[in-house]
């Protein structure tokens, strides 16, 4: 049962992981202090242990799941009335005897195995500590939504889990980076200045085109196409820097998963790709492997290190400005598109939930997360 929810709960000195059904019903928990697993319903025994193992795979062994406890049956009916008669025999008077039927009529029928609070004698609460403690936990256990919020808010202390990133500051926020940020920096340092470009254009000097400007044009066009997907629930980051000085051109995050997007700009050229080669126009084919050359594998390792769920990352290769594109064969996790075909990614779904999309985006936009990529 992969739709079970595991939530953290800390109260009254307990540190537990509750396993809930999709409707919020608790079916078991793991006590991290004592290292035991409690299963409330026997038929969910294996599902509870599997859900706990998937949620915290590197948690120290919690021990064997204890056998399901028998449901607490209500005490026999004769046990409660004699206690009422005993109090009346001890001299509570006719007034108490007259009030007894009204009190009994006000007591609602017991819903299942639990005894109503109005009918439970004080002495029984003192001698039934496990049941009293369990009833108190059931009454005060927060609903599943509040459990999830409390788990995100509580500090990750005393329990192994994903590492925490420092607070996101403006200098570390990659959401503000524009397409081709590295190319823009290079052209700003070594490219011709504004006055030189004006003079060059005025004198109609012939000069060789800078390949960096050609690549930057492709990055801008792909960035514009990716921005159109944001209205469909997708998130986009541009020029994600890697420690070795390279970068992931674009990172697309949405319901259909995560994609490392790379742009190739070849104006008015005929492009043929496949069988590990790339041919542009009439030139000879050149080796062009489509494996993990665009950072998809590195992105997956980084994102899964900070998330508690799988984050599949595919590759999208986008050719801009081409006259024709012929794709022979590609690996299963690689898509080769023309710029106008990027919109075909919009309806993809079923891989990440909206909450998971926001979590992945929060991690990916943090520069510190990519320090060890």
């Amino acid at each position: 049962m992969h739709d079970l929810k595991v939530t953290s709960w800390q109260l009254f000195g307990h540190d537990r992981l509750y396993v809930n059904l999709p409707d919020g019903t608790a079916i078991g928990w793991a006590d991290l202090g004592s290292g035991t697993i409690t299963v409330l319903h026997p038929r969910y025994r294996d599902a509870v242990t599997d859900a706990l193992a998937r949620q915290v795979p590197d948690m120290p062994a919690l021990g064997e799941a204890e056998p399901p406890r028998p449901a607490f049956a209500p005490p026999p009916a004769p046990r409660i009335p004699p206690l009422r008669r005993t109090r009346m025999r001890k001299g509570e008077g006719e007034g108490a005897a007259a009030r007894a039927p009204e009190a009994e009529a006000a007591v609602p029928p017991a819903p299942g195995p639990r005894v109503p609070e109005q009918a439970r004698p004080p002495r029984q609460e003192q001698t039934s500590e496990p049941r009293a403690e369990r009833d108190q936990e059931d009454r005060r256990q927060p609903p599943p939504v509040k459990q999830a919020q409390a788990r995100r808010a509580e500090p990750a202390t005393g329990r192994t889990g994903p590492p925490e990133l420092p607070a996101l500051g403006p200098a570390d926020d990659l959401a503000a980076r524009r397409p081709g940020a590295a190319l823009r920096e290079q052209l700003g340092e070594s490219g011709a200045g504004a006055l030189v470009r004006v003079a060059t254009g005025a004198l109609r000097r012939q000069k060789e085109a800078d390949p960096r400007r050609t690549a930057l044009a492709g990055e801008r066009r792909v960035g514009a196409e990716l921005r159109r997907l944001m209205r469909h629930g997708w998130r986009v980051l541009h020029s994600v820097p890697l420690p070795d000085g390279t970068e992931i051109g674009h990172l697309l995050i949405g319901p259909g998963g995560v994609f490392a997007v790379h742009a190739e700009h070849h104006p008015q050229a005929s492009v043929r790709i496949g069988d590990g080669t790339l041919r542009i126009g009439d030139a000879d084919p050149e080796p062009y492997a489509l494996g993990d050359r665009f950072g998809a594998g590195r992105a997956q390792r980084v994102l899964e290190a900070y998330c508690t769920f799988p984050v599949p990352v595919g590759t999208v290769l986008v050719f801009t400005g081409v006259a024709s594109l012929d794709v022979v064969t590609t690996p299963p996790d690689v898509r080769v598109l023309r710029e106008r075909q990027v919109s075909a990614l919009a309806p993809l779904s079923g891989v990440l939930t909206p909450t998971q999309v926001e979590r992945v985006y929060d991690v990916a936009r943090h520069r510190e997360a990519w320090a060890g990529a």
Side-chain angles (χ1 to χ4, degrees), residues 52-329:
L52 292 170
R54 287 196 307 271
Q55 180 69 16
V56 189
D58 53 349
M59 183 193 306
L62 296 175
E64 294 295 331
E66 61 183 18
R69 300 181 179 181
F72 286 94
R79 292 182 59 188
I80 295 177
L83 293 175
R84 295 183 179 277
R85 290 197 294 271
T86 300
R87 289 197 294 269
M88 289 188 293
R89 284 200 299 268
K90 287 184 179 181
E92 290 185 356
E94 297 179 357
R99 289 193 302 270
E102 297 178 0
E104 292 180 359
V107 176
R114 294 176 55 185
V115 179
E117 286 291 331
Q118 297 91 334
R120 186 180 301 156
R123 184 172 57 188
Q124 185 179 358
E125 290 182 353
Q126 296 174 0
T127 58
S128 303
E129 294 180 1
R131 186 194 306 171
E133 179 182 354
R134 198 159 26 251
D135 291 342
Q136 189 177 29
E137 292 173 358
D138 292 341
R139 290 194 303 271
R140 302 194 181 189
Q141 181 180 350
V145 175
K146 292 184 178 180
Q147 284 181 346
Q149 293 175 350
R151 184 180 179 187
R152 290 195 297 269
E154 66 179 6
T157 57
R159 184 169 68 248
T160 58
E164 292 292 337
L165 289 169
L168 182 63
D172 295 327
D173 192 355
L174 302 180
R177 287 175 69 87
R178 296 187 296 172
L183 293 172
R184 295 173 189 268
E185 294 175 1
Q186 295 175 12
L187 292 171
E189 295 174 356
S190 59
L195 295 178
V196 175
R197 290 196 299 271
V198 171
T200 301
L203 297 176
R204 300 183 181 277
R205 296 176 182 173
Q206 299 295 328
K207 65 176 183 177
E208 183 179 358
D210 192 333
R212 294 174 300 180
R213 296 193 179 280
T214 303
L216 180 58
E219 297 292 341
R220 288 172 173 168
R221 295 174 69 163
V222 171
E225 293 296 327
L226 294 176
R227 280 194 297 271
R228 300 175 187 270
L229 304 182
M230 297 178 64
R231 71 187 70 173
H232 302 284
W234 292 81
R235 295 285 197 168
V236 181
L237 293 171
H238 307 287
S239 302
V240 178
L242 299 176
D244 58 0
T246 61
E247 64 180 18
I248 299 176
H250 312 270
L251 199 63
L252 182 64
I253 305 167
V258 181
F259 297 97
V261 183
H262 178 73
E264 288 276 358
H265 189 53
H266 301 284
Q268 302 303 318
S270 299
V271 177
R272 184 179 187 275
I273 187 169
D275 298 328
T277 61
L278 172 67
R279 182 175 180 176
I280 301 175
D282 297 331
D284 295 331
E286 299 179 358
Y288 197 85
L290 292 177
D292 190 22
R293 62 180 297 170
F294 304 125
R298 300 170 73 175
Q300 182 171 359
R301 288 190 294 271
V302 168
L303 298 176
E304 289 187 343
Y306 292 93
C307 298
T308 58
F309 49 88
V311 184
V313 181
T315 299
V316 176
L317 179 60
V318 183
F319 285 89
T320 61
V322 298
S324 63
L325 176 63
D326 183 18
V327 181
V328 180
T329 57

